Amino acid sequence: MAEKIAFLGLGSMGAAMATNLLKAGFPLTVYNRTASKAEPLRQQGATVAATPAEAVREATVVFTMVTDDKALEELTIGPEGFLAALPQGAIHASCSTVAPDTNRRLAEAHQQHGSTLVASPVFGKPDVAQAGNLWVGSSGPTEARQRLEPLQAAFGQGTYSFGDDAGAASVAKLCGNFLLGTVIEGMAEALTLAEKAGLDRVAFYEMLTSTLFNNPIYKSYGKLIAERHYQPVGAPPSIIRKDMNLVVQEAYRQGVPMPFANIIRDQLTATVALNEQDVDWASFAERVAQGAGL
Amino acid sequence: MAEKIAFLGLGSMGAAMATNLLKAGFPLTVYNRTASKAEPLRQQGATVAATPAEAVREATVVFTMVTDDKALEELTIGPEGFLAALPQGAIHASCSTVAPDTNRRLAEAHQQHGSTLVASPVFGKPDVAQAGNLWVGSSGPTEARQRLEPLQAAFGQGTYSFGDDAGAASVAKLCGNFLLGTVIEGMAEALTLAEKAGLDRVAFYEMLTSTLFNNPIYKSYGKLIAERHYQPVGAPPSIIRKDMNLVVQEAYRQGVPMPFANIIRDQLTATVALNEQDVDWASFAERVAQGAGL
Amino acid sequence: MAEKIAFLGLGSMGAAMATNLLKAGFPLTVYNRTASKAEPLRQQGATVAATPAEAVREATVVFTMVTDDKALEELTIGPEGFLAALPQGAIHASCSTVAPDTNRRLAEAHQQHGSTLVASPVFGKPDVAQAGNLWVGSSGPTEARQRLEPLQAAFGQGTYSFGDDAGAASVAKLCGNFLLGTVIEGMAEALTLAEKAGLDRVAFYEMLTSTLFNNPIYKSYGKLIAERHYQPVGAPPSIIRKDMNLVVQEAYRQGVPMPFANIIRDQLTATVALNEQDVDWASFAERVAQGAGL
Amino acid sequence: MAEKIAFLGLGSMGAAMATNLLKAGFPLTVYNRTASKAEPLRQQGATVAATPAEAVREATVVFTMVTDDKALEELTIGPEGFLAALPQGAIHASCSTVAPDTNRRLAEAHQQHGSTLVASPVFGKPDVAQAGNLWVGSSGPTEARQRLEPLQAAFGQGTYSFGDDAGAASVAKLCGNFLLGTVIEGMAEALTLAEKAGLDRVAFYEMLTSTLFNNPIYKSYGKLIAERHYQPVGAPPSIIRKDMNLVVQEAYRQGVPMPFANIIRDQLTATVALNEQDVDWASFAERVAQGAGL
């Protein structure tokens, strides 16, 4: 089947994923609220739509990659949402980091409409998305999941299935972001203690990430923390603070004490309160440095 | 220079390290408080000494690997300690996980005696020690550090220097153990949330450690947590609880807030209170599972 | 003006408050989902209504005291809600512990209807309510607040105004419950440490509450903790766990790091997971005792 | 028996206590490392000694009130310590906030010397000490405790006994300071949330401390926090940070998880790192305010 793709939401992640779909040869219509962000894709051959509904009118698959639950709900089932215009049998690949229940609720709306939602969150920063090396989580009806896999391969190095529940892949994504947060806080505490005890902060980072923690996540986030320079911006503190609140709320719903998650959420709250601009969310590591008087 | 080695402290880590020194061809005298543990080494060609002093009498290098600060101090400068019997010019490779100040204090005693202490903590579990794949941290006078490197190569895959301060490598070791603790608590929270939200605990562990967290530490500790079966025992909760208290105390001395370290220490306290036998320290992950009613 | 009162929600708190309104001479119509709970009030002279709408049809003031935000919203603006039947000019005294935004949202619905909402949360346990000694918080339009004061005096020893914002008194109530939680956790940690260090748990409680913490809150909650017997039940863990989640969510919305609130919420989560029956929420103090092996 | 008193350590607490002993008619010899602080007492009739030994030579009771464990040990059994000069049968009333084991260790030294140590920590700020309204904890041999009571009455409104163990009253004191810390952090979180949600910070403080938390501790510390003005200085952050580390270490020794204690210790660490001068330790409440962007 020759899929026709609509891609809604062209932030740094969405634009990179859409570009890779285009490069892989899929016909692509794009939409973004701020139209100028669609321009680079138009130049590479994508059709630019003026509204979500227009974008999906002939689509067999709709990808969405937006900021938060509210934006996703508006885009899908709001007054200007695309669902009403979506052809029967189409698949909605919901890539945003949202609450599991949001994807579950939208999956029901799709079912009533005659279409299907597959939660399709991605793991990786914008540069990883550009390189086509994201990891993709996937949950929803089997057939729809399988239809998506060739498309996910355009921007990902592998797709992991989490079964039928449209919320399941969102849980996996939230857990993934939470674990990134534990890496950041852990490295922040370790490097701060080492520095105050007289060790060279960067040299110790290099030792750790050459030995026990020889891993791209530790290397990339660790570098920002070791050098205390939080650029380039993979995702800003305010966005991931939202994700960490989703973690904390899912923990409440499921009845799981998560002391580490609470701490990460609060570090991000304090970071947002300080209103530093143009920094990656790993900059919450500065809360540890400042608490130690560095 | 042909080094003659004494190895004091033959727990699971010490025995594996000593065995590798023997296999590498170094003349070896060993001592352990519980003499029976020396027997396997005797059978492989080591000389067994009856006291610490006897063990070091002709040594050029003394390795020590004991449980805690108090044991190390007694072994070195206590009434039955080896220092008085140690030949001038010898090196004490202090491998135990102890407070930085303990190694600093003993380094001073060595200096007065005419010998040298090099902090030489190792990173890795007993099976890694057996395979000769430990990572070794090293700090102390340059010449002594360099003399030790060929010996450390017998049980390690690499030695990292942290300069002249005898306490520095201990700081690095404490930070390393702390980071292992963050992996355990992080995985415990993530896998518990995932399980309660309906995901398969083991499958999710496998996904995480095949993608973002494709790393031996995450794989080995994660497996224990995913399967909720905490054997074999790398180190028991009581030993690492002691280490985490050293972290928390060094954080106090250096003036560093370490919320993650506090949580790990308390999880280990509760684990020791429950007095489970024959479990690895990663079993503190059960505190999260139990708090969630699993 | 002779007020005619409807009271909706006759749990242990609501029943005590309604009874005191009746004793004070106000004409009273009551409603409870489980009708049997209305019987004692009927015997004392109250009229029992079969539906929320029937209860409020001639009311000038409606009190509501229900379990959570969802119950309050259903009762007020749900398909069977009372608002449509409420006479113009009436006041809704909203006594439940709910999110500030819930009262704000309902206040708007009232305004459109031609009635007024005053947030009117109360501070105190059921026995305090029976004794007419609650503290009452109040926020909403001035005139409406003033009209309520003589009624609040039937069950309270004083009313504190928090101004026009219908959400403000809810914030105050959430902060109050949070502070009670800090008393419980604080006493739990202190008494557990004291006991394990050899002091008599109950004697130390008596000393503390005769000296620095000579205060009814410390005495009443402290007694439960000192004796490790969590009855009678003022409020069960599940209800206050919901309140603590409201605190944590309000902290998120307002951008306030609240490490103590996170801990209390998680202690209650673990307490609910253990599913102990018929215990006051102060029983989360047992999490400390158990973590210490008591 | 007519007691002759030596008082060693004339900081703001010690000076107030010594002054009250003098006013009560007891013969008093005082000593302070910085001699100028003894001058006001000399003018009121006290004898000023040049050394600890000289101060105690004819004493039947020695009070000590110094900064920390190390200072107490030096003062008592150090090279210039008073113990060697203390008459047989004398009592050492050890009033400083120290580790339980420190008082236990010194009690043994006294026993060998033929004298007795009674742990005699006091609860209250300098102004409470001046007013003679401290609460006094007391532990040690019964007879010695009883002999001290008339003296403790000079500066206290009541003495509570914790039995024979010289460490017990120190545990009680540490728990007391910990509970004060929970009041500060709790009020800081509550008032910050209230302020950011639109309530008047000071008015809400007044409401809380007129109702549920109508208690001198909440009023005095709460006032500093409500007004965000941390003077006068009862005790500086660095001193109480030391106490909180003693709490955390006693929790380790006794095997008690104390999440609240960890947080308070870390808030004080960050406060000391910021190096604000001339502020009461309650100023750690600013960590919450700053984390919320106030």
Side-chain angles (χ1 to χ4, degrees):
Chain A
M1 176 180 185
E3 305 284 11
K4 288 193 271 184
I5 303 177
F7 205 112
L8 316 183
L10 301 171
S12 52
M13 287 297 294
M17 292 160 70
T19 302
N20 277 320
L21 283 163
L22 198 60
K23 285 184 183 164
F26 294 101
L28 187 71
T29 303
V30 299
Y31 165 79
N32 195 64
R33 210 169 41 179
T34 310
S36 59
K37 288 199 178 167
E39 189 55 23
L41 278 152
R42 196 189 58 76
Q43 290 176 13
Q44 292 173 76
T47 304
V48 177
T51 67
E54 182 189 320
V56 308
R57 206 147 276 151
E58 302 188 8
T60 60
V61 175
V62 185
F63 285 87
T64 54
M65 183 52 126
V66 292
T67 304
D68 58 19
D69 298 66
K70 198 179 160 192
L72 176 62
E73 288 189 329
E74 271 185 33
L75 185 66
T76 309
I77 55 173
E80 314 284 316
F82 70 80
L83 186 58
L86 188 68
Q88 302 274 315
I91 300 172
H92 176 189
S94 175
C95 302
S96 315
T97 304
V98 293
D101 279 350
T102 299
N103 272 335
R104 289 185 190 116
R105 222 166 25 239
L106 293 177
E108 286 178 26
H110 273 285
Q111 197 175 13
Q112 287 172 16
H113 179 74
S115 49
T116 309
L117 181 141
V118 174
S120 179
V122 294
F123 299 82
K125 293 181 170 186
D127 58 336
V128 177
Q130 284 160 24
N133 287 331
L134 295 170
W135 296 104
V136 186
S138 184
S139 70
T142 308
E143 194 189 352
R145 268 192 281 115
Q146 290 171 345
R147 256 179 68 195
L148 280 183
E149 287 194 16
L151 286 68
Q152 291 161 332
F155 49 71
Q157 62 176 302
T159 294
Y160 282 77
S161 168
F162 292 97
D164 293 346
D165 170 18
S170 295
V171 172
K173 170 64 180 173
L174 292 178
C175 288
N177 275 9
F178 158 67
L179 284 169
L180 297 181
T182 67
V183 170
I184 294 167
E185 176 70 20
M187 287 294 275
E189 294 185 17
L191 295 185
T192 303
L193 179 59
E195 179 176 352
K196 290 205 73 172
L199 279 70
D200 182 283
R201 186 178 178 101
V202 173
F204 186 44
Y205 151 74
E206 285 169 355
M207 182 267 178
L208 286 169
T209 54
S210 306
T211 57
L212 298 178
F213 296 98
N214 188 341
N215 167 277
I217 296 293
Y218 278 83
K219 287 191 177 179
S220 64
Y221 284 107
K223 187 168 189 289
L224 305 180
I225 299 163
E227 297 177 352
R228 299 182 66 187
H229 181 75
Y230 301 94
Q231 283 164 333
V233 178
S238 58
I239 293 290
I240 309 294
R241 178 177 179 252
K242 177 265 300 175
D243 295 356
M244 289 301 152
N245 193 49
L246 294 176
V247 171
V248 162
Q249 282 315 293
E250 187 67 13
Y252 175 73
R253 269 188 290 273
Q254 302 297 347
V256 181
M258 293 185 74
F260 272 21
N262 293 333
I263 287 166
I264 296 165
R265 197 189 76 151
D266 272 6
Q267 298 282 51
L268 285 164
T269 287
T271 299
V272 169
L274 283 168
N275 198 26
E276 292 165 359
Q277 301 295 315
D278 272 331
V279 288
D280 187 71
W281 71 291
S283 64
F284 81 73
E286 287 297 295
R287 303 294 75 70
V288 178
Q290 289 174 357
L294 290 186
Chain B
M1 174 177 184
E3 306 285 10
K4 286 193 272 185
I5 303 177
F7 205 111
L8 316 184
L10 300 171
S12 51
M13 287 298 294
M17 293 160 69
T19 301
N20 277 319
L21 284 163
L22 199 59
K23 284 184 185 166
F26 294 102
L28 188 71
T29 303
V30 299
Y31 166 80
N32 195 64
R33 208 169 42 179
T34 309
S36 59
K37 289 198 178 170
E39 190 53 27
L41 278 152
R42 197 188 58 74
Q43 289 177 11
Q44 292 173 76
T47 304
V48 178
T51 66
E54 182 190 319
V56 307
R57 205 146 279 151
E58 302 187 9
T60 59
V61 175
V62 185
F63 284 86
T64 54
M65 184 51 126
V66 292
T67 304
D68 59 18
D69 297 65
K70 198 177 160 194
L72 176 61
E73 288 189 329
E74 272 186 32
L75 184 66
T76 310
I77 55 174
E80 314 284 317
F82 70 80
L83 185 57
L86 188 68
Q88 302 274 315
I91 300 172
H92 175 190
S94 175
C95 302
S96 315
T97 304
V98 293
D101 279 351
T102 299
N103 273 334
R104 289 186 189 113
R105 224 170 18 243
L106 293 177
E108 285 178 28
H110 274 285
Q111 197 174 14
Q112 287 173 16
H113 179 74
S115 49
T116 309
L117 180 141
V118 173
S120 178
V122 294
F123 300 82
K125 293 182 170 185
D127 59 336
V128 177
Q130 283 161 23
N133 286 331
L134 295 170
W135 296 104
V136 186
S138 184
S139 71
T142 308
E143 194 189 353
R145 269 192 279 115
Q146 290 171 345
R147 256 179 67 194
L148 280 183
E149 287 194 16
L151 285 68
Q152 291 161 331
F155 50 70
Q157 61 177 301
T159 294
Y160 282 78
S161 168
F162 293 96
D164 293 348
D165 169 17
S170 296
V171 172
K173 169 65 179 174
L174 292 178
C175 288
N177 275 9
F178 159 67
L179 284 169
L180 298 181
T182 67
V183 171
I184 294 167
E185 175 71 21
M187 287 294 275
E189 295 185 18
L191 296 184
T192 303
L193 179 59
E195 178 176 352
K196 291 204 72 172
L199 280 69
D200 182 284
R201 186 178 179 102
V202 173
F204 186 43
Y205 150 74
E206 285 168 357
M207 182 267 177
L208 287 168
T209 55
S210 306
T211 58
L212 299 179
F213 296 98
N214 188 340
N215 168 275
I217 296 293
Y218 277 84
K219 288 191 177 179
S220 63
Y221 284 107
K223 186 167 189 291
L224 305 180
I225 299 163
E227 298 177 351
R228 300 182 65 187
H229 181 75
Y230 302 94
Q231 282 164 333
V233 178
S238 58
I239 292 290
I240 309 294
R241 178 178 179 252
K242 177 266 299 175
D243 294 356
M244 289 301 151
N245 193 50
L246 293 177
V247 171
V248 162
Q249 282 316 292
E250 186 69 11
Y252 175 74
R253 270 188 290 273
Q254 302 297 347
V256 181
M258 293 185 74
F260 271 22
N262 292 334
I263 287 167
I264 297 165
R265 197 189 77 153
D266 272 6
Q267 299 281 51
L268 284 164
T269 287
T271 299
V272 168
L274 283 167
N275 198 27
E276 292 164 359
Q277 300 296 315
D278 271 332
V279 288
D280 187 71
W281 71 290
S283 64
F284 81 73
E286 286 298 295
R287 304 291 76 71
V288 179
Q290 289 174 357
L294 291 184
Chain C
M1 174 178 185
E3 306 284 10
K4 288 193 272 186
I5 301 177
F7 204 111
L8 315 185
L10 301 170
S12 52
M13 287 298 294
M17 293 160 70
T19 301
N20 277 321
L21 284 162
L22 198 61
K23 285 183 183 164
F26 294 102
L28 188 70
T29 304
V30 300
Y31 166 79
N32 195 64
R33 208 167 43 178
T34 309
S36 59
K37 289 198 178 170
E39 189 54 23
L41 279 151
R42 196 188 59 76
Q43 289 176 11
Q44 290 172 78
T47 303
V48 178
T51 67
E54 183 189 319
V56 307
R57 206 148 277 152
E58 302 189 8
T60 60
V61 174
V62 185
F63 284 87
T64 55
M65 183 51 126
V66 292
T67 305
D68 58 19
D69 297 66
K70 198 177 160 194
L72 176 61
E73 288 190 329
E74 271 185 33
L75 185 67
T76 309
I77 55 172
E80 313 285 317
F82 70 80
L83 185 58
L86 188 69
Q88 303 273 315
I91 298 172
H92 176 190
S94 175
C95 303
S96 314
T97 303
V98 292
D101 279 350
T102 299
N103 272 335
R104 289 186 190 114
R105 224 169 19 241
L106 294 178
E108 286 178 27
H110 274 285
Q111 197 174 13
Q112 287 174 15
H113 179 75
S115 50
T116 309
L117 181 142
V118 173
S120 178
V122 294
F123 300 81
K125 293 182 170 185
D127 60 334
V128 177
Q130 283 161 23
N133 286 331
L134 295 170
W135 296 105
V136 186
S138 184
S139 70
T142 308
E143 193 189 353
R145 268 192 280 115
Q146 290 171 344
R147 257 179 67 195
L148 280 183
E149 286 193 19
L151 285 68
Q152 291 161 333
F155 49 72
Q157 62 178 301
T159 293
Y160 282 78
S161 168
F162 293 96
D164 293 346
D165 169 18
S170 295
V171 172
K173 170 64 180 174
L174 291 179
C175 287
N177 275 8
F178 158 68
L179 285 169
L180 297 181
T182 67
V183 171
I184 294 168
E185 175 70 21
M187 287 294 274
E189 294 185 19
L191 295 184
T192 303
L193 179 59
E195 179 176 352
K196 290 206 72 173
L199 279 69
D200 182 285
R201 185 178 179 103
V202 173
F204 186 44
Y205 151 74
E206 285 169 356
M207 182 267 176
L208 285 169
T209 55
S210 306
T211 57
L212 298 179
F213 297 98
N214 189 340
N215 167 277
I217 296 292
Y218 277 84
K219 287 191 177 178
S220 64
Y221 285 107
K223 187 168 188 290
L224 304 181
I225 299 164
E227 298 176 350
R228 300 182 64 186
H229 181 77
Y230 302 93
Q231 284 165 333
V233 179
S238 58
I239 293 290
I240 309 294
R241 178 175 178 254
K242 177 266 297 174
D243 294 357
M244 288 302 151
N245 192 50
L246 294 176
V247 171
V248 162
Q249 283 313 293
E250 187 68 11
Y252 176 74
R253 270 188 289 275
Q254 303 297 346
V256 181
M258 293 184 74
F260 271 22
N262 293 333
I263 287 166
I264 296 165
R265 197 189 77 151
D266 272 6
Q267 299 281 51
L268 284 164
T269 287
T271 300
V272 169
L274 284 167
N275 198 25
E276 291 164 0
Q277 301 295 315
D278 272 330
V279 288
D280 187 70
W281 71 291
S283 64
F284 82 73
E286 286 297 295
R287 301 293 77 71
V288 179
Q290 289 174 357
L294 290 184
Chain D
M1 174 177 185
E3 306 284 9
K4 288 193 272 184
I5 302 178
F7 205 112
L8 315 185
L10 301 171
S12 51
M13 287 298 295
M17 292 160 70
T19 301
N20 276 321
L21 283 162
L22 199 60
K23 286 183 182 163
F26 294 102
L28 188 70
T29 303
V30 299
Y31 166 79
N32 195 62
R33 209 168 40 178
T34 309
S36 58
K37 289 198 178 169
E39 188 54 23
L41 278 151
R42 197 189 57 77
Q43 288 176 13
Q44 291 173 76
T47 303
V48 177
T51 67
E54 182 189 320
V56 307
R57 205 147 279 151
E58 302 188 8
T60 61
V61 174
V62 185
F63 284 87
T64 55
M65 184 51 126
V66 291
T67 304
D68 57 20
D69 298 65
K70 198 178 159 192
L72 176 61
E73 288 189 330
E74 271 185 33
L75 184 67
T76 310
I77 56 172
E80 315 283 316
F82 70 80
L83 186 58
L86 188 69
Q88 303 273 316
I91 299 172
H92 175 190
S94 175
C95 303
S96 315
T97 304
V98 292
D101 279 350
T102 299
N103 273 335
R104 289 186 190 115
R105 220 164 27 236
L106 294 177
E108 285 177 28
H110 274 285
Q111 197 174 13
Q112 287 173 15
H113 178 75
S115 50
T116 308
L117 180 141
V118 174
S120 179
V122 294
F123 299 82
K125 293 181 171 188
D127 59 336
V128 177
Q130 282 160 25
N133 286 332
L134 294 171
W135 296 103
V136 186
S138 184
S139 70
T142 308
E143 193 190 352
R145 268 191 281 116
Q146 290 171 345
R147 257 180 67 196
L148 281 183
E149 287 192 17
L151 285 68
Q152 291 162 332
F155 49 71
Q157 62 177 301
T159 293
Y160 282 79
S161 168
F162 293 96
D164 293 346
D165 170 18
S170 295
V171 172
K173 170 64 180 174
L174 291 178
C175 288
N177 275 9
F178 159 69
L179 284 169
L180 298 180
T182 67
V183 171
I184 294 167
E185 175 70 21
M187 288 294 274
E189 295 186 18
L191 296 184
T192 302
L193 179 59
E195 178 176 353
K196 290 207 73 173
L199 279 69
D200 182 284
R201 185 178 179 102
V202 173
F204 185 44
Y205 150 74
E206 285 168 355
M207 182 266 176
L208 286 169
T209 54
S210 306
T211 58
L212 298 179
F213 297 99
N214 188 340
N215 167 277
I217 295 292
Y218 277 83
K219 288 191 178 179
S220 64
Y221 284 107
K223 187 168 188 293
L224 304 180
I225 298 163
E227 298 177 350
R228 300 182 63 187
H229 181 76
Y230 302 94
Q231 284 165 332
V233 178
S238 58
I239 292 291
I240 309 295
R241 177 175 180 254
K242 177 266 300 175
D243 293 358
M244 289 301 151
N245 193 49
L246 294 176
V247 171
V248 162
Q249 283 314 294
E250 187 68 12
Y252 175 74
R253 270 189 290 272
Q254 303 297 346
V256 181
M258 292 184 74
F260 272 22
N262 293 333
I263 287 166
I264 297 165
R265 198 190 76 152
D266 272 6
Q267 299 281 51
L268 285 163
T269 286
T271 300
V272 169
L274 283 167
N275 199 26
E276 292 164 359
Q277 301 294 316
D278 270 332
V279 288
D280 188 70
W281 72 291
S283 64
F284 82 72
E286 287 297 295
R287 302 292 76 69
V288 178
Q290 289 176 357
L294 291 184

